[in-house]
Amino acid sequence: MSVKRLGCWLADIAAFALAATGTVGAALMAMRPTGLRQLFVMGVSLLVLAALLACLIRAVRQWKRLRFAGLLAPAALLAALPLGVEVGQGLRTWRFERDLPRYRAMAKWALARAVPGERIDVPIPPEARDLAYLVRVSDEPGCGRVVDFYWGAGFPVKHTARRYVELPQKIEDDACRGYWARGLRRGEHWFEASD
């Protein structure tokens, strides 16, 4: 094997390894956001972009010799992050559905501590610490009682919350959503959003 072919082979292996790293990083970030995961994905994204550009230049320059095989590494790099996000979102949905009975029990527990007209943070019992890092309950006029489970954080200040709304018809009311305007409905009483 010539030195040039060995170099191309090693470059392809590095590109596929970087694509795999990007896929795993994006999946972890989409599954449960944290500041460290977000910084990691941002760094890997820059590396993926640089590697994609280098692989595309190589594929064009060596088209006669590589043909379509030269496009495999750029295709893997191009698909890495979107594929990771898709996988991570699927895992996030699966995990939420798996933990839904615990979330319901925790919401019922938190609703008992609501104070009319106030928004308060309630202490999280040790058995539920994996569900959220902060639980906030409020009883607002016109919206009813609401429990926010803050379970994801990002960089610099980004929170992801799962919101339980006692009155399911209020989940679509913009006034009741407040700063959680964008999001995804997860069930009759459940809404997931990021700020």
Side-chain angles (χ1 to χ4, degrees), residues 63-189:
W63 180 255
K64 286 184 180 180
R65 188 173 60 82
L66 297 174
R67 297 283 178 190
F68 289 103
L71 296 176
L72 291 176
L77 289 165
L78 194 60
L81 298 177
L83 176 63
V85 169
E86 279 298 314
V87 168
Q89 288 175 344
L91 289 171
R92 178 160 93 186
T93 298
W94 169 80
R95 193 169 179 186
F96 174 71
E97 290 170 358
R98 182 196 71 180
D99 291 336
L100 190 55
R102 293 177 61 217
Y103 272 110
R104 286 184 185 131
M106 186 68 185
K108 184 177 178 183
W109 178 84
L111 287 174
R113 284 141 182 82
V115 177
E118 290 186 34
R119 181 177 295 167
I120 59 169
D121 297 344
V122 295
I124 304 170
E127 65 273 8
R129 298 213 181 196
D130 62 322
L131 298 180
Y133 62 86
L134 173 69
V135 176
R136 187 168 283 160
V137 64
S138 61
D139 188 351
E140 300 169 17
C143 295
R145 296 186 303 176
V146 174
V147 181
D148 289 327
F149 295 90
Y150 291 83
W151 64 275
F155 171 86
V157 180
K158 179 176 173 56
H159 303 286
T160 306
R162 291 187 169 136
R163 176 170 267 202
Y164 174 85
V165 180
E166 189 176 35
L167 305 171
Q169 66 274 19
K170 296 295 183 178
I171 209 165
E172 300 300 333
D173 188 348
D174 287 342
C176 293
R177 281 195 189 179
Y179 50 86
W180 303 112
R182 293 182 312 126
L184 186 64
R185 191 169 184 149
R186 290 282 184 193
E188 185 180 7
H189 295 272

Side-chain angles (χ1 to χ4, degrees), residues 18-19 21-23 25-27 29 37-53 77-78 80-82 85:
L18 183 59
T21 302
T23 301
M29 176 63 189
R37 288 178 181 175
Q38 189 170 358
L39 283 172
F40 178 76
V41 170
M42 289 166 57
V44 168
S45 297
L46 293 174
L47 292 174
V48 165
L49 185 61
L52 176 63
L53 185 60
L77 289 165
L78 194 60
L81 298 177
V85 169

